[in-house]
Amino acid sequence: MSAAEGSAPPLLDARGLVKHYPVRGGFFSRQSAVVRAVDGVSFRVRRGETFSLVGESGCGKSTLGRVLVRLEDPTDGVLRFGGIDTAKFSGRELFRYRSKIQMIFQDPYSSLNPRMTIGEVIREPLEIHRIGRRRQQEERVEQLLREVGLSPDMMERYPHEFSGGQRQRIGIARALALDPELIVADEPLSALDVSVQAQVINLMVHLQREHHFTYVFISHDLMVVEYLSDRIAIMYLGKIVETGTREDIFERPAHPYTRALIASSPVPDPAQRGEVQPIKGEIPSPINPPAGCAFHPRCLFAIDDCRKAVPPLEPAGRESSPEHLAACIRKHEI
Amino acid sequence: MPLLEVNNLRTVFHTEGGTVRAVDGVSFAVEPGKVLGIVGESGCGKSVTALSIMRLVPDPPGRIVGGEVFWKGTGLLKLPPKKMPSIRGREIAMIFQDPMTSLNPVFTIWKHLQEVLWKRFRLKGEPAKKRAMQALSEAGIPDPESRLAAYPHELSGGMKQRIMIALALLCEPDLLIADEPTTALDVTIQKQILYLMREMQERTGMAIVLITHNLGVVAETCDDVVVMYAGKVAEQSTVHDLFARPRHPYTHGLLRSLPHKGLTREKALPMIEGTVPSLVAPPPGCRFTPRCFRAEERCTREEPQLLANAAGRKAACHFPLDEEKQT
């Protein structure tokens, strides 16, 4: 963290962010439990970098993404954007905040309104935020389409006329329309075919180079995360269990869960086929997480102390960068 | 003799937009005890190939219009429909991507197993229960007794896929066709399921056809690989040769476009331009021509045959990568 503090203030600064959802029991019962989707996470995102949130289903990465763009209100915590706390924003303040942050969604089939032409889809944010006159807006749409590798004469067509890859390009063009400072991309590649994924990855990198915006990239695909990220946070059951630079996470993973994730992700090279035993067990319920470290029931290195207290995020090791933190009490022994 | 031989299989779907030639002359063979991967992108015909082998293509709109499937030498496509149940589920079992839709939501797990045990082995009562519990524990399901009483919705995705594997293997099939069995699962669970399948394969000696879009899964699990593109086989080879020295430009392009260990965004990913063609009106000649970096005029007019090189590796390409291009 010290390295980050020395330079310019971070674009995003999240402190103890929490998002809980109440669950109702039966018909007549009141709130009986809470889903701890995001359970106290703190991190900083620097201007112009790609910060990735990684984890398996139910780890809270998508909920966290939706809290960042304020599609969800945080239950607790502080979320500073450019130094100002946005967690309690509402009304006009929230409206203005939303023009600076945009989101790209996973499913290019359900995230575009099927009754709007793609010209209308991309122009809509400009209209809502009243930027320019109609003619200027249309010129901007043409320019955006060219930027994402589509032809401006496609403007009058409807989403169903496009392939998955093209639709994701349209979603990206719409996200770019307001010239945002931050783009939250939630699994933007997982619905795409392998041969199209590389096209969209290259486009995302190219656009960031041109416009210098910041990405928060949400993914379960470690290969893509290693390729795209500057810094990474690994999440498990609503908490960040490890965070650091790309090299920290991939060269010197400190948390047993990070190591298990890396060992589980299939490598497209039969020469590296190993006889690595998979880790046991399944992801526990976020309604009733295990006591202490939530990973301990699946962890090969768990000892009694792991069940007693939630381990704090602490510096991971001497070899690492100062911002490499891991939440494991045995990180220095294993 | 191969266990399963697919010969020039053709399956079409009649749609409002025209006739989709989903599988258009596909041939391959599965040897006993081997794991064959069929890999390709969406719409390449890999799942329809599997459904055609099992004769489960919904007709209408689908129809098998040509070719033959030999199971231990017997032609399956000409078999009277009555005879299929003696092979399907018994000798050839199948599991699917989404285990939720393959299990009946109003039946307990026990009901599912009970039906098979009675129909196939005439087992009931205590012996049936014992056999069911054994099947579940072989599939790595903890506490099998309480799982028997559970309904499908009470189980996680990984657990349901384990149940499907237990059910599929109950009849001790000679071949298991697994269609994207881990696509809906998290990576740590995917690893467990692939490990389980491999373990079961080694124990029983059955063969597996693993259908997937994930080249990493292929590399970690399969012995041999068939690469499909736009309804046709592009390339077939052993897994090691395929990843080390792909012959078809499509395979080559796919492998290069994957991010891999140590690669960062400072270097652009090599990519295959364009998209998969329509199967209603596919391009003439080789269907990969519009996206191929090696294409010549000949490729636009003449369809390449699936031919083996000296080492026995098959590719459907006029200019495979292991041959000097002569123009």
Side-chain angles (χ1 to χ4, degrees):
Chain A
M1 288 287 170
S2 53
E5 252 145 28
S7 49
L11 180 66
L12 262 190
D13 187 356
R15 303 257 174 104
L17 268 189
V18 170
K19 179 67 193 176
H20 286 178
Y21 294 97
V23 220
R24 283 164 183 282
F27 271 117
F28 303 106
S29 66
R30 304 226 175 127
Q31 178 185 328
S32 57
V34 282
V35 175
R36 300 163 179 274
V38 176
D39 203 17
V41 303
S42 303
F43 60 93
R44 291 163 175 207
V45 181
R46 289 184 205 137
R47 213 171 270 278
E49 76 170 346
T50 298
F51 183 84
S52 291
L53 296 171
V54 182
E56 298 181 283
S57 51
C59 74
K61 58 189 193 298
S62 288
T63 305
L64 181 53
R66 294 174 68 86
V67 169
L68 297 184
V69 300
R70 289 299 305 279
L71 283 170
E72 301 276 359
D73 296 331
T75 312
D76 198 8
V78 174
L79 177 62
R80 290 205 185 89
F81 182 83
I84 300 158
D85 186 13
T86 65
K88 311 236 159 37
F89 271 6
S90 62
R92 286 221 57 83
E93 281 174 323
L94 185 57
F95 183 76
R96 275 203 301 271
Y97 174 60
R98 283 198 175 130
S99 74
K100 295 178 190 160
I101 46 166
Q102 290 292 316
M103 192 154 187
I104 306 172
F105 296 92
Q106 168 171 0
D107 185 356
Y109 293 87
S110 62
S111 54
L112 302 176
N113 186 335
R115 291 165 190 251
M116 288 166 82
T117 65
I118 67 156
E120 289 166 347
V121 166
I122 299 170
R123 199 164 59 84
E124 197 182 28
L126 298 168
E127 224 169 327
I128 291 171
H129 288 272
R130 305 192 183 186
I131 292 167
R133 293 174 173 268
R134 176 78 190 228
R135 182 73 214 116
Q136 291 159 314
Q137 290 177 354
E138 272 167 5
E139 277 167 16
R140 175 87 175 122
V141 172
E142 287 181 19
Q143 180 207 344
L144 286 164
L145 280 170
R146 270 191 223 103
E147 270 203 81
V148 298
L150 296 172
S151 156
D153 18 295
M154 293 173 171
M155 242 158 76
E156 300 303 316
R157 295 209 217 152
Y158 288 87
H160 75 264
E161 299 174 65
F162 294 89
S163 68
Q166 287 173 321
R167 282 187 224 202
Q168 202 53 290
R169 287 172 194 266
I170 296 164
I172 293 171
R174 179 184 161 105
L176 289 176
L178 296 172
D179 216 355
E181 293 176 48
L182 172 71
I183 294 182
V184 176
D186 187 2
E187 300 270 13
L189 307 165
S190 15
L192 305 178
D193 272 319
V194 187
S195 75
V196 178
Q197 271 190 15
Q199 297 173 359
V200 175
I201 293 172
N202 284 345
L203 176 66
M204 286 179 64
V205 172
H206 170 78
L207 290 171
Q208 188 181 38
R209 251 181 225 145
E210 294 281 300
H211 298 282
H212 311 288
F213 52 71
T214 306
Y215 277 125
V216 169
F217 182 71
I218 299 170
S219 179
H220 69 281
D221 186 335
L222 286 178
M223 298 283 178
V224 176
V225 166
E226 179 173 5
Y227 180 78
L228 280 178
S229 316
D230 295 294
R231 293 185 312 124
I232 296 155
I234 309 281
M235 291 185 71
Y236 190 75
L237 223 62
K239 291 195 161 65
I240 292 176
V241 296
E242 182 164 2
T243 178
T245 63
R246 175 181 57 225
E247 290 78 18
D248 290 333
I249 299 292
F250 286 97
E251 306 304 327
R252 317 169 267 279
H255 197 286
Y257 179 62
T258 310
R259 295 186 189 183
L261 266 188
I262 293 173
S264 300
S265 83
V267 181
D269 180 3
Q272 290 182 38
R273 193 187 281 185
E275 284 307 305
V276 187
Q277 288 262 348
I279 57 163
K280 59 191 176 180
E282 304 201 322
I283 301 156
S285 152
I287 295 179
N288 189 12
C293 169
F295 186 60
H296 84 253
R298 306 177 73 190
C299 184
L300 286 174
F301 306 100
I303 53 173
D304 277 348
D305 282 349
C306 299
R307 295 176 188 91
K308 288 180 187 151
V310 177
L313 264 177
E314 289 171 337
R318 269 170 275 124
E319 325 266 290
S320 307
S321 78
E323 50 203 326
H324 186 192
L325 310 174
C328 174
I329 56 174
R330 302 193 68 194
K331 57 186 173 294
H332 298 303
E333 332 164 24
I334 57 177
Chain B
M1 184 173 65
L3 195 60
L4 178 80
E5 203 179 338
V6 175
N7 222 332
N8 204 19
L9 181 71
R10 287 170 200 278
T11 305
V12 300
F13 285 86
H14 298 288
T15 68
E16 277 176 37
T19 300
V20 178
R21 290 191 274 162
V23 176
D24 202 13
V26 164
S27 304
F28 61 87
V30 184
E31 300 297 331
K34 291 275 186 186
V35 182
L36 175 80
I38 301 183
V39 63
E41 300 179 280
S42 49
C44 73
K46 55 192 191 298
S47 291
V48 177
T49 300
L51 291 176
S52 304
I53 293 168
M54 299 290 266
R55 288 186 52 190
L56 288 173
V57 176
D59 178 5
R63 177 154 292 185
I64 301 171
V65 292
E68 190 47 282
V69 175
F70 293 101
W71 172 248
K72 298 176 181 170
T74 309
L76 287 187
L77 298 184
K78 297 194 177 66
L79 217 59
K82 290 202 299 286
K83 288 259 171 76
M84 271 314 283
S86 66
I87 292 171
R88 195 196 295 140
R90 295 191 176 196
E91 297 189 17
I92 310 176
M94 191 162 177
I95 58 174
F96 299 89
Q97 173 172 345
D98 182 2
M100 195 61 216
T101 54
S102 328
L103 293 167
N104 190 330
V106 301
F107 285 168
T108 60
I109 301 308
W110 165 237
K111 267 271 183 206
H112 286 88
L113 290 153
Q114 192 188 25
E115 189 188 348
V116 182
L117 289 166
W118 175 246
K119 280 195 173 153
R120 176 80 167 96
F121 301 106
R122 297 284 156 201
L123 274 181
K124 57 179 182 178
E126 243 347 271
K129 205 141 216 171
K130 251 179 121 178
R131 180 74 188 84
M133 270 159 60
Q134 184 200 345
L136 292 191
S137 62
E138 277 171 6
I141 296 166
D143 193 10
E145 185 151 22
S146 73
R147 302 300 163 134
L148 281 179
Y151 285 90
H153 75 269
E154 299 176 277
L155 303 173
S156 68
M159 216 40 90
K160 276 183 286 212
Q161 201 57 288
R162 285 178 190 273
I163 303 276
M164 286 311 298
I165 291 173
L167 265 170
L169 300 189
L170 211 49
C171 294
E172 293 156 5
D174 298 314
L175 174 67
L176 174 69
I177 300 181
D179 188 1
E180 301 270 11
T182 59
T183 305
L185 306 176
D186 279 313
V187 282
T188 57
I189 310 299
Q190 163 167 282
K191 184 92 177 176
Q192 294 172 357
I193 297 292
L194 293 175
Y195 194 82
L196 172 69
M197 284 174 57
R198 198 74 228 210
E199 201 182 60
M200 295 290 226
Q201 189 272 327
E202 276 162 23
R203 187 157 70 208
T204 62
M206 66 178 172
I208 296 178
V209 171
L210 177 67
I211 296 168
T212 180
H213 71 283
N214 187 326
L215 288 155
V217 167
V218 169
E220 293 206 346
T221 323
C222 301
D223 300 310
D224 299 295
V225 190
V226 168
V227 181
M228 285 186 70
Y229 184 76
K232 290 181 175 294
V233 174
E235 173 158 15
Q236 177 173 12
S237 121
T238 66
V239 72
H240 289 281
D241 285 341
L242 188 90
F243 283 83
R245 291 173 297 278
R247 293 189 70 210
H248 198 287
Y250 173 60
T251 319
H252 171 81
L254 271 190
L255 291 175
R256 273 167 49 95
S257 73
L258 296 175
H260 54 81
K261 181 102 200 90
L263 188 69
T264 69
R265 59 172 193 241
E266 309 311 318
K267 258 184 91 183
L269 289 173
M271 53 187 186
I272 304 176
E273 301 283 349
T275 45
V276 177
S278 147
L279 293 182
V280 176
C286 171
R287 291 175 181 183
F288 188 58
T289 304
R291 307 176 73 186
C292 184
F293 70 101
R294 278 170 81 87
E296 301 278 330
E297 191 269 335
R298 181 182 168 200
C299 306
T300 63
R301 88 189 128 68
E302 198 183 316
E303 197 184 313
Q305 300 304 304
L306 187 66
L307 297 175
N309 67 3
R313 298 184 49 200
K314 292 175 182 167
C317 179
H318 294 306
F319 306 106
L321 290 154
D322 56 341
E323 284 170 27
E324 280 299 308
K325 202 156 92 171
Q326 288 151 0
T327 46

